[in-house]
Amino acid sequence: MRDTVSGVPTAWVARWGRGKPVIALGSDVDGIPQASQKPGVAYRAPIVDGAPGHGEGHNAGVPLNVLAAIAVKRIMEREKLPGTIVLWPGTAEELVASKAYFVRDGVFADVDAVLFTHVSADHTVSWGDQSSNGLVSLEFAFRGNAAHAAGAPWRGRSALDAVELMDIGWNFRREHLRLQQRSHYVIPDGGDQPNVVPSTARVWYYLRETDYPHIMGLWALADSIARGAAMMTGTRLDTVRVLGTAWPQHFNKPIAEAMYRNIQRVGMPKWDEADQALARGIQRETNDATYTPKGLDTTLAKLGENVPDSVKRGGGSDDIGDVSWVVPTVTLRFPSNIPGLPGHHWANAVSMATPIAHKGVVAGAKTQAMTMLDLLTQPQLVADAWRYFREVQTKDTKYTPILRPTDKPVTTLNAATMAKYREQMRKFYYDPSKYRTYLDQLGIKYPTVKGDSARAQ
């Protein structure tokens, strides 16, 4: 086991077995700012107020892969099957901060197939180009001159003015960008205090598009607007830092089709009325009065197919895209979350550590394990996957890293948040030696919804 990967302290790679095929199981691990939430409670109830939480459900995927890996390992030992299982987490996916470095450092150099997982409300898989975008995450830092903001403002040159003018310039230019793009920003440093002209300021952008040339085009445009803002304010564009990158995703057709056949065999979990009551409760809580709560999905979604660029209209990103362009890859979407929620929101943490998440993980682990066995026992499937990868996917599109050679993982982005909240959160870590479930540990009646006599403790 490698316990430090690509300079990311919380990344690791575990391997078992010998020989080919090498099957890598991955899933994301991280949280969402200010998304702390008691599981099983269908209204806002933080465990630690203001702390991060599982506002996407990324804590469910690695346990799914561990379960599938243990099951397949036992079968391989019993049947004496050759092959190697690799487990790895997509560390800090919400910052798209690690997988491109894993690719650059050869983590997948000997891998024959990557079976990735992502929490969802459905149970499905897709092949081809996806509706999501790739992105580059950039921090633009400006430097000016401090001065007394009241006594001698003419002697100052405000770095914050440069940040604000860059944002204004981008927002005016946004009208003339493709419909497929998405771009958004925050200002992590806007100066120190109002009576001092800010000598430093930083703005952080996510620039999303559907392919490498358009992503790089957005980056070039942002550079030009930043330089213009510096010229207008008499400041200097100090640094442009890459904080993360993600290529657009393209998933392997033969493996996706094999996985979907297994999904059809496994089906959707059997939800009970308690599961459905929690789902309807949080749907009511997070939607307006025109929304009709539908509860959890009970039927399978269709196999997802290639999405043409002409019909894409923006979307999220995952740096599994970088992996998908160096080795045949699919992403299993497993049903451990609730449909109709905002995403990247405390509400998306409600199903975590409940029977909904557990049932979805078990269903997904069955699908994952069955697909692993297909790859282990059907050499033609591995050959077909690589044929599609070489003759279709990468025939005209070659992977070019967005990362620059000098870029290194930025491992400090969440340092202040964790320093503030870690000790407050530590006392809520699950203790399986004392409690059968995490809901028991927190004293939560499942489900807890508005209107019930029961409430979260």
Side-chain angles (χ1 to χ4, degrees):
M1 178 170 175
R2 295 169 58 188
D3 56 4
T4 300
V5 183
S6 297
V8 179
T10 51
W12 48 267
V13 175
R15 299 173 70 99
W16 178 88
R18 179 178 297 177
K20 292 284 193 172
V22 179
I23 305 169
L25 310 181
S27 196
D28 295 322
V29 288
D30 55 6
I32 298 291
Q34 301 187 49
S36 177
Q37 172 66 23
K38 293 179 179 177
V41 179
Y43 50 82
R44 188 66 168 122
I47 297 176
V48 176
D49 194 38
H54 291 296
E56 189 163 353
H58 280 169
N59 55 322
V62 170
L64 183 159
N65 285 336
V66 170
L67 179 58
I70 291 172
V72 172
K73 173 180 179 289
R74 291 174 178 172
I75 294 172
M76 292 173 69
E77 290 174 325
R78 185 187 71 202
E79 303 297 329
K80 297 182 172 49
L81 295 175
T84 304
I85 301 172
V86 181
L87 283 168
W88 61 280
T91 307
E93 185 274 337
E94 297 302 345
L95 301 174
V96 289
S98 64
K99 297 190 194 74
Y101 294 100
F102 298 167
V103 169
R104 188 172 75 179
D105 295 342
V107 170
F108 306 99
D110 68 337
V111 172
D112 295 291
V114 171
L115 304 183
F116 199 67
T117 68
H118 197 285
V119 65
S120 181
D122 51 22
H123 192 187
T124 191
V125 67
S126 301
W127 64 269
D129 287 340
Q130 301 300 290
S131 58
S132 57
N133 284 341
L135 71 76
V136 61
S137 170
L138 299 166
E139 179 194 76
F140 295 85
F142 295 87
R143 186 169 294 276
N145 294 316
H148 194 299
W154 53 87
R155 298 187 65 175
R157 296 293 180 268
S158 172
L160 177 59
D161 286 351
V163 163
E164 292 185 297
L165 282 170
M166 179 179 179
D167 294 342
I168 290 169
W170 186 268
N171 285 327
F172 273 103
R173 186 61 181 268
R174 191 194 304 272
E175 178 185 0
H176 310 289
L177 299 176
R178 295 200 325 153
L179 295 176
Q180 290 92 328
Q181 74 85 32
R182 291 291 186 273
S183 50
H184 18 265
Y185 56 85
V186 295
I187 302 175
D189 174 14
D192 298 304
Q193 58 192 56
N195 65 330
V196 179
V197 174
S199 60
T200 61
R202 294 174 287 122
V203 61
W204 178 9
Y205 273 79
Y206 272 21
L207 305 177
R208 307 185 195 243
E209 252 287 3
T210 61
D211 58 32
Y212 174 82
H214 283 104
I215 294 168
M216 300 306 289
L218 289 181
W219 185 349
L221 175 60
D223 280 345
S224 67
I225 292 174
R227 289 193 299 270
M231 291 174 63
M232 285 188 287
T233 55
T235 61
R236 175 166 55 92
L237 177 58
D238 195 18
T239 59
V240 179
R241 271 204 310 173
V242 174
L243 304 185
T245 71
W247 253 67
Q249 301 159 37
H250 187 110
F251 294 134
N252 191 267
K253 185 176 182 181
I255 299 177
E257 291 175 337
M259 178 173 277
Y260 191 73
R261 288 191 291 272
N262 293 326
I263 288 170
Q264 290 176 306
R265 296 184 181 102
V266 173
M268 289 292 285
K270 302 255 186 284
W271 312 120
D272 62 22
E273 182 48 38
D275 303 330
Q276 293 289 10
L278 180 69
R280 291 191 298 265
I282 194 62
Q283 288 168 345
R284 284 193 298 269
E285 186 72 10
T286 56
N287 288 280
D288 62 31
T290 64
Y291 182 86
T292 301
K294 300 175 182 177
L296 298 164
D297 293 334
T298 57
T299 59
L300 287 176
K302 294 180 179 179
L303 170 67
E305 298 185 348
N306 187 69
V307 180
D309 190 73
S310 59
V311 303
K312 295 178 184 178
R313 290 297 179 266
S317 309
D318 190 319
D319 44 357
I320 190 60
D322 289 79
V323 180
S324 75
W325 286 95
V326 297
V327 60
T329 300
V330 297
T331 290
L332 167 66
R333 296 172 62 84
F334 63 95
S336 286
N337 220 315
I338 297 168
L341 304 184
H344 287 186
H345 188 269
W346 61 265
N348 293 80
V350 165
S351 67
M352 295 299 102
T354 74
I356 294 173
H358 296 159
K359 292 173 184 178
V361 163
V362 170
K366 290 177 180 178
T367 296
Q368 191 83 316
M370 292 164 72
T371 308
M372 293 170 68
L373 290 171
D374 288 342
L375 291 164
L376 288 166
T377 60
Q378 300 174 29
Q380 190 59 46
L381 176 57
V382 177
D384 289 345
W386 277 102
R387 185 175 298 108
Y388 175 88
F389 180 83
R390 294 184 177 115
E391 298 179 6
V392 179
Q393 178 182 345
T394 62
K395 179 182 178 181
D396 299 315
T397 302
K398 305 301 180 184
Y399 177 71
T400 304
I402 300 173
L403 291 175
R404 301 168 298 192
T406 55
D407 290 328
K408 297 180 179 180
V410 183
T411 60
T412 58
L413 291 175
N414 287 323
T417 298
M418 295 312 301
K420 180 177 180 179
Y421 290 108
R422 185 182 296 278
E423 289 309 311
Q424 297 178 61
M425 296 166 66
R426 192 184 300 277
K427 60 186 176 182
F428 294 101
Y429 289 1
Y430 177 46
D431 185 352
S433 68
K434 294 181 180 179
Y435 301 97
R436 188 177 65 86
T437 71
Y438 192 48
L439 296 182
D440 290 341
Q441 179 170 327
L442 296 179
I444 293 171
K445 180 181 181 296
Y446 180 77
T448 297
V449 300
K450 280 188 175 178
D452 284 354
S453 58
R455 285 289 183 265
Q457 301 299 311

